[in-house]
Amino acid sequence: MKARHRFLSLLIFAAAAAVLAAAVSVYLTWEKAIAPTVPPVPSSFDRQLVLHGSRVAALGDCAVCHTAPGGKPYAGGLPLATPFGTIYTTNITPDTETGIGSWSLEAFTRAMRRGISRDGHQLYPAFPYVHYTRMSDGDIAAAYAFLMQRDPVVSKAPDNALIFPLNFRPLVAFWNVLFLREGPEARDASRDDKWNRGRELVNGLGHCAACHTPLNPIGGEQWGKAFDGGVVDGWEAPSLNTLTASPHPWTKSQLIAYLRTGMSSQHSAAAGPMLPVTQELATVPEEDVDAIATYLLSLQKPRIRDVMPPDHAGADKTSIQRGAVLFSAACAACHGENSPMQSLGERPSLATSSTVNAATPRNTVQMMLEGVQWQGEREVRYMPPFKHLLNDRQVADIANYLRATYTDQPPWKDVVQTAAEIRKGDQSR
Ligand code: HEC
Ligand code: HEC
Ligand code: HEC
């Protein structure tokens, strides 16, 4: 009897807890639809506001994600590979059926600040609203005006292919409790305007942490590790708070050059997912990039190189020798001493390259496999992909050779394995 009684009260307790949990989740995930509006007449927007909006869109890389390969700008359809499946970007042109033509500024603002679509459904955080929430009201209104002035394009994104249970959108509400801190940051009165604007651009529109901060297993940025460096699309996004770890410290002018031209004479050239970021930053006024550089330099931690003495012990000598032969055959025409690219093009020497000096071989391997895409008239930036010419061991041999020849850093470990893993990731996409 007694046991049964206890069982019953347990059952009642469990039922009450379930009802409470259901009520809490309804409360958390319930979002109202915002009534559709008639698209504003494009000419009704102030020209200055629209102009400012184009700058905002560039700083936020909206077109980079919302344009499919070969597709119309902002019409969406680009697949984003996540550990949880594929998410397609949506159409943000002012088409009323398939785009955001019937969205009021209020609905747009809610999407940017809280990741909720006009009809009330939760958006996935592959859309970096956890960062855009830091934008000012003025920037959001300008982006809205700019997008509403685009040509409407009829285009519906393919359905997402996400794993269970993440294909159930309301779950994002719980994720938001952990990772969304809504609204702009308060001004830091101890710093000047440029620093404050830089912080707003880096943490907000620029969403730099989305790539440059390590992620946890549920796709949130790890707490307390902002800008410690992350991995995106198989590339390493280096830490942004120990930039001074490269052989030549990053100065402000080097940073501005890198961010606006994709090239800094004493460091890296931007490749992989960073290249489009720099192509967008090339179109905004220098004062914005200056503010970004100012803020980044204020984040720097002490130099790592000074506390880590170089150690070449353990280098694989035969691998390095094989790498030297391969380098002279495949790479020296461009990267060798006195090659036209080095002597005429003011290209960074591999000795100062952050890529070759990095703690992991990931981006050096990526460079070899993928090269630098043909940029049309900017042909000097071209590097052919070697993924069909070199096998994993050859890639590793060249990497080991570069590391030993151009840097005083300890040898990389397991480069063959890194190459194999990166190739495997490529095929699954
Ligand atoms: C890193 C990629 C990425 C960037 C950069 C990005 N978006 Fe998106 N955005 C997405 C994805 C993915 C979705 C769809 C999310 C979903 O379906 O849950 C989306 C959805 C949206 C939506 C909701 C559309 C709808 O129909 O619900 C709006 C509005 C939007 N983005 C605006 C912008 C603006 C404005 C910018 C630039 C400031 C921007 N996005 C930059 C990835 C991105
Ligand atoms: C879509 C992902 C992505 C975003 C967003 C992004 N980055 Fe990067 N970033 C990368 C990757 C990947 C690299 C490495 C590229 C390479 O080695 O060619 C990189 C490299 C860099 C470097 C060079 C670091 C070094 O040590 O060589 C700087 C500086 C940088 N990013 C700054 C920024 C800033 C500032 C922002 C925001 C305005 C930003 N990044 C946004 C992915 C990203
Ligand atoms: C046709 C010319 C060409 C060839 C051949 C070539 N590269 Fe490149 N490489 C480039 C260009 C252009 C860049 C972009 C940066 C620049 O302009 O310096 C680059 C960048 C790199 C970088 C990144 C440097 C940094 O930090 O920005 C590495 C590493 C690299 N190449 C390695 C190699 C290796 C290894 C080979 C041979 C397997 C090779 N490259 C062959 C043209 C070439």
Side-chain angles (χ1 to χ4, degrees):
M1 246 343 230
K2 239 197 171 154
R4 190 139 168 229
H5 178 72
R6 209 181 290 150
F7 178 72
L8 206 70
S9 45
L10 205 70
L11 206 71
I12 293 172
F13 176 76
V19 168
L20 191 73
V24 168
S25 47
V26 166
Y27 171 75
L28 275 174
T29 60
W30 177 254
E31 296 289 347
K32 279 196 304 213
I34 294 180
T37 52
V38 181
V41 188
S43 59
S44 68
F45 289 108
D46 178 61
R47 272 194 53 206
Q48 284 305 316
L49 187 67
V50 173
L51 203 66
H52 182 63
S54 72
R55 173 170 165 187
V56 170
L59 285 162
D61 301 324
C62 314
V64 174
C65 278
H66 283 277
T67 309
K72 297 248 172 61
Y74 303 104
L78 178 78
L80 300 179
T82 77
F84 318 107
T86 305
I87 300 182
Y88 291 88
T89 58
T90 47
N91 181 352
I92 54 170
T93 70
D95 177 55
T96 43
E97 293 304 317
T98 62
I100 60 168
S102 62
W103 288 43
S104 59
L105 174 60
E106 183 197 356
F108 183 76
T109 305
R110 182 174 71 169
M112 300 306 282
R113 291 227 190 277
R114 298 182 48 213
I116 313 284
S117 192
R118 187 193 62 73
D119 67 5
H121 74 256
Q122 305 279 344
L123 294 165
Y124 288 111
F127 166 42
Y129 57 86
V130 295
H131 296 289
Y132 294 149
T133 192
R134 305 266 175 273
M135 290 167 68
S136 66
D137 287 333
D139 280 356
I140 292 181
Y144 177 74
F146 171 75
L147 288 172
M148 285 300 170
Q149 272 233 334
R150 299 308 91 200
D151 289 333
V153 178
V154 181
S155 169
K156 197 177 168 311
D159 288 338
N160 296 331
L162 291 171
I163 55 168
F164 176 82
L166 295 170
N167 46 7
F168 184 60
R169 286 187 181 264
L171 281 184
V172 177
F174 295 98
W175 191 93
N176 286 343
V177 173
L178 296 173
F179 300 111
L180 175 61
R181 298 286 165 269
E182 208 184 312
E185 288 170 295
R187 198 191 135 80
D188 183 342
S190 69
R191 307 279 195 157
D192 63 10
D193 285 350
K194 193 191 273 182
W195 185 93
N196 275 287
R197 174 70 175 155
R199 184 181 63 167
E200 185 187 310
L201 289 177
V202 167
N203 293 346
L205 260 177
H207 63 283
C208 316
C211 296
H212 286 277
T213 297
L215 300 183
N216 59 34
I218 54 170
E221 286 159 30
Q222 288 181 31
W223 290 313
K225 300 219 167 148
F227 305 115
D228 281 1
V231 172
V232 51
D233 291 348
W235 288 77
E236 188 189 331
S239 77
L240 292 184
N241 53 23
T242 47
L243 281 171
T244 44
S246 56
H248 295 282
W250 282 85
T251 60
K252 192 152 160 204
S253 59
Q254 285 274 319
L255 258 181
I256 293 177
Y258 178 86
L259 292 170
R260 297 198 83 210
T261 66
M263 183 79 69
S264 120
S265 61
Q266 298 196 339
H267 298 91
S268 280
M274 190 62 198
L275 186 58
V277 175
T278 59
Q279 286 168 339
E280 294 289 321
L281 290 179
T283 68
V284 304
E286 180 160 327
E287 65 186 73
D288 288 341
V289 181
D290 191 333
I292 290 175
T294 304
Y295 178 65
L296 283 188
L297 286 175
S298 78
L299 295 177
Q300 299 311 307
K301 296 179 179 168
R303 295 185 60 152
I304 293 180
R305 288 175 68 87
D306 296 344
V307 286
M308 264 191 3
D311 172 17
H312 276 297
D316 180 345
K317 298 237 166 52
T318 49
S319 167
I320 292 171
Q321 275 161 10
R322 288 194 303 262
V325 176
L326 288 167
F327 181 84
S328 69
C331 326
C334 294
H335 290 289
E337 294 290 329
N338 300 325
S339 68
M341 187 173 104
Q342 291 288 316
S343 51
L344 303 176
E346 292 183 4
R347 295 352 246 187
S349 148
L350 290 178
T352 60
S353 152
S354 313
T355 311
V356 182
N357 278 281
T360 80
R362 183 174 276 282
N363 287 359
T364 296
V365 170
Q366 279 283 14
M367 282 303 298
M368 275 188 258
L369 296 178
E370 299 296 330
V372 180
Q373 253 187 21
W374 187 255
Q375 303 289 314
E377 73 277 19
R378 287 204 258 165
E379 70 218 57
V380 278
R381 290 293 298 281
Y382 177 64
M383 169 165 157
F386 287 92
K387 61 181 162 199
H388 303 301
L389 296 172
L390 301 172
N391 64 29
D392 293 344
R393 203 195 76 178
Q394 291 169 319
V395 166
D397 288 343
I398 299 178
N400 288 335
Y401 166 76
L402 295 181
R403 184 74 164 177
T405 312
Y406 289 103
T407 81
D408 56 3
Q409 297 289 304
W412 284 316
K413 295 201 180 69
D414 306 326
V415 192
V416 179
Q417 204 182 324
T418 305
E421 277 166 13
I422 290 175
R423 271 195 228 254
K424 245 196 347 238
D426 270 359
Q427 279 157 11
S428 69
R429 239 173 282 138

